[in-house]
Amino acid sequence: MGNVQSSLPAYYNADPTNEAYTHSLSKYVDLASSAIGAKLIKASNERFGAAANLINPSEPTSDAWVTRRHNPESDWAVVRLGSSGTIAGFDIDTRGLDGTHANQVSIQGCLASEDALVDGNGDVEGAEWTELLPRIEVSANSRHLLALWTPTTEAFNFVRLVLHPDGGVARLRIYGTFVPNRTEGECDLACVTSGARVVSASDETLGAKEALILPTKALATDSRGVRGWKTRRSRTDEHHDWAIIKLGEPGFLTRVEIDTATFDGDQPVRASIHACYTELESPERDTECFWYEIASRTELNANTCHKIDVQLNDVPFSHIKVVIHPDGGVSRVRAFGQRVAEIEKEAARECAEAAAEAVVAAEIATDSNEDQSATDDVLTNDVSEKPATPKAARSPPSARAKPQTPQKQKPMPRVESSADETSESTSLHKKSKKADKPEIRKKKAKKPESINVKPEAQFSSRAGELILSLTSPLPAKKRSRTRSRADDEESVHTVDSLGKRSRRKAKNTTN
């Protein structure tokens, strides 16, 4: 079975009778029409007819591309398509040519820069030709509607028609699908160059529905298929006609334009725009599809482009329906908006940028925390390495400001006493040191409380004064009278003083 299919030609006749109103190529667009921007670049010979007639959108009459006879090789014509697109089929029209038509033709295609040059052999600069239609025989005064079994997956923007060896062809149609021009921002989603297509219409007796989405402005000299969409007259005011346009891509619509150029007196009275969203080619096949009115009825004037802001511009739509009341002609319809895919792409890019900013902010915060931790560690190490000064060893500010030289204390007189007296004096001396320690921490020492001693209890001898000095809690520098060495020696050798001291010690011992 596979061998049988491989032996078949790559094309088939889409309209064997040449009388079919619709055929397998009806849903495609003529990419080689001058109405959508196609242009003849170069031809090998135009002796009896201009090659520009090949891309004329009107029906052929007596105009055709005809070359001279007796060409030893072949003639060719290079056409740049209105836009890049995939190829689905061809229409080689020889109507009006009887006896001067070409005997055999072939078609080739390539993809190159739009401003690429064509040399004298019909080759495009920087591109190689790919065979789209092999050499076939053509008949006089007939249409050859040939469809490819499988449309090309590769896009082309240049085609070359080759005549073998010479002759004439009236029209050349290249049916295919435009590769959408994905311009950023707002664009006309209802234009054929964006991938839009007219799905159906209620009537197109006087003007083709495909003219609604052409990118060029309508002219009064244009043919029926280019001037605009026009319906027949109706006899009731309740009548209305409609045309459904599938947008190039689903999008959020912002405004529409209804152009009545070249229609003066035969334009509709009013028009409205409806929109829907469906994944099917035709909304009529979707039972769950619902039409929303995005532009209410608007009065239309002759030869005027009516710009209308639409409602529900935050809802995506895939199709629009132009409704005219009651009938008439409209040259062009534009639907401006932004593609859903582009908005989703922008949202994804914004989310990615926000995530990247969050990561950078987190890294900055982490670095600042690490720097702060390092600073705290340095400060902690500095404090721990610095030796601490004991509070007891610190001197008051007055002492640090004016250091005093310690005075030499006079030696205490030697008194012969017992072991008990010696231990008692030692303990008293320790107590006096303990009492003096708190006074060192304070800036201002407390004044000692005065001891009231009765006059009759005072000792009259030098020994009594010595005992009083030893037992007194007052510091030595606060004592009222400084003892001399002579006084101490005198008190040591006094018999009365020794007796009194021994008696007092004995009294304390008995207690």
Side-chain angles (χ1 to χ4, degrees), residues 242-313:
W242 50 265
I244 297 176
I245 301 173
K246 180 184 178 182
L247 303 178
E249 290 185 38
F252 296 90
L253 302 180
T254 57
R255 59 189 175 92
V256 295
E257 293 182 2
I258 302 175
D259 194 354
T260 58
T262 73
F263 292 101
D264 187 358
D266 51 357
Q267 78 278 4
V269 177
R270 298 177 184 85
S272 60
I273 303 293
H274 301 254
C276 72
Y277 183 88
T278 179
E279 296 181 356
L280 300 180
E281 181 73 13
S282 176
E284 298 174 348
R285 299 179 181 179
D286 190 350
T287 57
E288 298 180 357
C289 180
F290 183 81
W291 290 99
Y292 297 89
E293 186 180 70
I294 60 175
S296 58
R297 292 189 184 186
T298 304
E299 292 187 2
L300 302 182
N301 299 320
N303 292 316
T304 305
C305 182
H306 305 81
K307 300 180 181 180
I308 308 170
D309 293 332
V310 303
Q311 304 172 358
L312 301 175
N313 50 16

Side-chain angles (χ1 to χ4, degrees), residues 16-323:
T17 63
N18 287 334
E19 296 178 356
Y21 180 74
T22 59
H23 44 76
S24 60
L25 296 178
S26 298
K27 62 181 180 180
Y28 295 102
V29 180
D30 179 13
L31 304 179
S33 174
S34 60
I36 60 175
K39 184 178 180 181
L40 176 75
I41 302 302
K42 200 169 186 178
S44 61
N45 184 268
E46 298 175 280
R47 182 66 177 269
F48 299 105
N53 293 324
L54 291 171
I55 59 176
N56 191 336
S58 62
E59 296 295 324
T61 54
S62 59
D63 52 341
W65 172 47
V66 183
T67 66
R68 66 183 179 184
R69 301 188 183 192
H70 313 301
N71 189 359
E73 296 181 356
S74 60
D75 287 318
W76 49 264
V78 177
V79 176
R80 186 184 67 194
L81 304 180
S83 181
S84 301
T86 57
I87 309 301
F90 316 94
D91 184 6
I92 303 170
D93 195 346
T94 60
R95 287 180 294 177
L97 298 176
D98 189 1
T100 58
H101 63 281
N103 185 27
Q104 293 180 337
V105 299
S106 63
I107 299 177
Q108 302 163 342
C110 70
L111 182 65
S113 175
E114 292 187 358
D115 55 355
L117 301 177
V118 179
D119 60 15
N121 297 323
D123 295 328
V124 179
E125 180 183 10
E128 295 183 0
W129 292 109
T130 301
E131 186 179 74
L132 300 176
L133 181 69
R135 181 185 296 193
I136 62 168
E137 293 185 359
V138 295
S139 303
N141 199 23
S142 61
R143 295 178 62 187
H144 304 80
L145 199 61
L146 307 176
L148 299 177
W149 286 105
T150 304
T152 64
T153 57
E154 183 181 357
F156 301 93
N157 63 341
F158 284 86
V159 294
R160 181 170 68 175
L161 174 64
V162 182
L163 308 181
H164 305 278
D166 49 45
V169 174
R171 297 290 185 269
L172 175 65
R173 314 292 188 202
I174 306 295
Y175 292 104
T177 303
F178 275 108
V179 175
N181 297 326
R182 300 182 181 276
T183 56
E184 295 183 357
E186 187 180 75
C187 63
D188 182 12
L189 297 177
C191 184
V192 65
T193 56
S194 299
R197 197 175 71 84
V198 181
V199 177
S200 60
S202 60
D203 180 67
E204 50 178 338
T205 304
L206 304 175
K209 62 183 184 300
E210 287 78 14
L212 290 172
I213 59 176
L214 294 178
T216 57
K217 187 175 180 61
L219 300 175
T221 57
D222 288 339
S223 63
R224 170 185 174 275
V226 179
R227 183 184 176 193
W229 170 54
K230 187 177 179 180
T231 64
R232 64 176 180 261
R233 292 176 182 265
S234 63
R235 303 303 178 185
T236 59
D237 294 337
E238 293 78 12
H239 179 81
H240 66 273
D241 288 314
W242 50 265
I244 297 176
I245 301 173
K246 180 184 178 182
L247 303 178
E249 290 185 38
F252 296 90
L253 302 180
T254 57
R255 59 189 175 92
V256 295
E257 293 182 2
I258 302 175
D259 194 354
T260 58
T262 73
F263 292 101
D264 187 358
D266 51 357
Q267 78 278 4
V269 177
R270 298 177 184 85
S272 60
I273 303 293
H274 301 254
C276 72
Y277 183 88
T278 179
E279 296 181 356
L280 300 180
E281 181 73 13
S282 176
E284 298 174 348
R285 299 179 181 179
D286 190 350
T287 57
E288 298 180 357
C289 180
F290 183 81
W291 290 99
Y292 297 89
E293 186 180 70
I294 60 175
S296 58
R297 292 189 184 186
T298 304
E299 292 187 2
L300 302 182
N301 299 320
N303 292 316
T304 305
C305 182
H306 305 81
K307 300 180 181 180
I308 308 170
D309 293 332
V310 303
Q311 304 172 358
L312 301 175
N313 50 16
D314 57 346
V315 179
F317 296 110
S318 61
H319 293 72
I320 63 172
K321 180 166 64 174
V322 183
V323 181

Side-chain angles (χ1 to χ4, degrees), residues 426-438:
T426 304
S427 61
L428 291 174
H429 184 64
K430 290 181 179 181
K431 289 180 180 180
S432 64
K433 286 184 177 181
K434 291 180 179 181
D436 294 342
K437 285 182 180 180

